[in-house]
Amino acid sequence: MDKRRIAAALLAAAMLAGCGETADSEDDLMIRASVDHTAATSETSLPLMTETITKETTMSEKPTETTTESSTTATTKKTTTTTEATTTTVTTTTAPETTTPPPETTTLPPTETTTTTEATAAPAKTEAAETKPAAPKEIKAASFMVATTLGSTSITWDAVDGAKGYTVCVRRSKDGEWEELASTKKTSWSTDEFGRNKSYAFTVKAYTEKDGKRTYAKKNEVSEFPYLTQKNGVTYVDGLLLVNKTYPLPQSYAPGGLTPETNAAFEEMRKGAAKDGVSLWVCSGYRSYAYQSTLYWNYVARDGSQTSADRYSARPGHSEHQSGLCADLNWASRYFNGSPTAIWIQNNCWKYGFIIRYPEGKEDITGYNYESWHVRFVGKEMSKLLTESGLTLEEYYGLTSKYNY
């Protein structure tokens, strides 16, 4: 039979089988016989066809399930004849009930990749950020003044900004340990347990306090005998205001007259002198800085030199008269020296808290000529001590009285 005719017949038979119809024509019978004969004589062709189908399936990337035996036989026959036609036949005559349609290819949209980054975790919030306690505010050292008597010691100081309290300490010898005397919130401390001792040194330590812990100023002042202190430009020694050629007063210092203590002491002395038939009065008391300046430079002009004037007159700022603690009595002249009134003053002024400030024979120490009329108020205890010892203020406290300009 012509090969083309057989191929056409096979195609028609496959189409009829796919439609479920039966072949009754002679050509159909001949085609079936021919197919049966081919199947019987060409069994060795089956593996070839199977391989071909496999390859086709792989190429088309549409795998199908294994077809029924009858379909495979028909396909094999056709494959022996022409592979190209068989491929077409297989594709078009696969029975729906025996062949699983190729899976529908669905192009999925690109998968949206969600990157879940495990948070490099921000530290968990805490209810309150742990903060270091603020460092205590640094405070300044306390500036203090020591005043001693033979039987007592008192210390006063200015309040320190931010301080919660103060600790007063003593060191009883040069190489001794510091001892705490008191802790107070006040700005003064005193004791009658001990008095003036030239070996004693003192300090006042300001402190802040938090949670019961004290923090002291990093550096603290130490005052040793003679306990020199400066306050607002004024020098104090052991609590006494000091003014001489070495230690001046600022121009602004102006009590305006004799201090109340000085004035009261003079009134007491005046009355005492009156009982002894001696009349006392103040011929020169308080002098301002400006007045002393005029007076001094007039003396310089008169004498022709400062060297001459410096022996009996103080330069402005260096006069005890500016302090309000001294007075010239009766007659401020060398002719007053040795008079009955001058002798009474020298012998009795200490009883009222005064001393002869520039005694005879001490000119090189005090820096001034002897002045029997010039008295200085220092308090009764100190006036007695200095008078009995024959020492000047400079000698007792180891101080100088010399201009440095």
Side-chain angles (χ1 to χ4, degrees), residues 158-179:
D158 294 329
V160 175
D161 185 36
K164 295 297 182 182
Y166 309 88
T167 298
V168 182
C169 299
V170 63
R171 187 183 65 201
R172 300 178 190 269
S173 65
K174 200 74 173 177
D175 300 322
E177 298 292 329
W178 285 102
E179 304 172 25

Side-chain angles (χ1 to χ4, degrees), residues 116-129:
T116 304
T117 306
E118 273 188 28
T120 303
K125 289 184 179 179
T126 55
E127 290 186 2

Side-chain angles (χ1 to χ4, degrees), residues 221-349:
E221 294 182 5
V222 174
S223 183
E224 299 178 327
F225 190 85
Y227 313 127
L228 278 172
T229 306
Q230 271 209 343
K231 184 176 181 180
N232 300 323
V234 179
T235 302
Y236 296 86
V237 55
D238 201 10
L240 290 173
L241 185 150
L242 176 65
V243 53
N244 63 16
K245 291 184 176 182
T246 302
Y247 302 97
L249 291 172
Q251 184 173 351
S252 59
Y253 188 83
L258 294 179
T259 66
E261 296 82 3
T262 303
N263 195 60
F266 172 73
E267 283 300 314
E268 185 182 5
M269 184 169 67
R270 185 184 64 79
K271 292 176 182 179
K275 291 179 181 180
D276 291 337
V278 176
S279 296
L280 295 180
W281 64 89
V282 175
C283 68
S284 180
Y286 168 75
R287 299 176 193 165
S288 67
Y289 181 97
Y291 181 81
Q292 183 66 30
S293 179
T294 299
L295 193 62
Y296 173 78
W297 289 111
N298 284 341
Y299 289 141
V300 171
R302 185 190 68 183
D303 294 351
S305 71
Q306 284 187 270
T307 303
S308 176
D310 284 343
R311 290 200 298 263
Y312 60 87
S313 180
R315 297 179 184 181
H318 293 269
S319 173
E320 278 199 328
H321 287 278
Q322 188 183 341
S323 71
L325 295 169
C326 77
D328 289 344
L329 304 180
N330 292 32
W331 188 18
S333 167
R334 67 178 184 275
Y335 298 109
F336 184 71
N337 296 335
S339 67
T341 303
I343 293 172
W344 187 96
I345 294 171
Q346 183 169 341
N347 292 335
N348 294 280
C349 69

Side-chain angles (χ1 to χ4, degrees), residues 162-239:
K164 295 297 182 182
Y166 309 88
T167 298
V168 182
C169 299
V170 63
R171 187 183 65 201
R172 300 178 190 269
S173 65
K174 200 74 173 177
D175 300 322
E177 298 292 329
W178 285 102
E179 304 172 25
E180 182 175 328
L181 295 172
S183 185
T184 178
K185 296 184 182 299
K186 298 179 180 180
T187 55
S188 64
W189 172 85
S190 62
T191 182
D192 294 329
E193 294 182 4
F194 57 86
R196 183 179 300 118
N197 189 315
K198 295 183 180 181
S199 298
Y200 285 9
F202 298 92
T203 188
V204 176
K205 301 189 294 183
Y207 65 82
T208 57
E209 190 170 23
K210 186 173 183 181
D211 299 329
K213 183 179 179 181
R214 294 180 180 180
T215 301
Y216 290 94
K218 291 183 177 180
K219 292 184 178 180
N220 297 286
E221 294 182 5
V222 174
S223 183
E224 299 178 327
F225 190 85
Y227 313 127
L228 278 172
T229 306
Q230 271 209 343
K231 184 176 181 180
N232 300 323
V234 179
T235 302
Y236 296 86
V237 55
D238 201 10

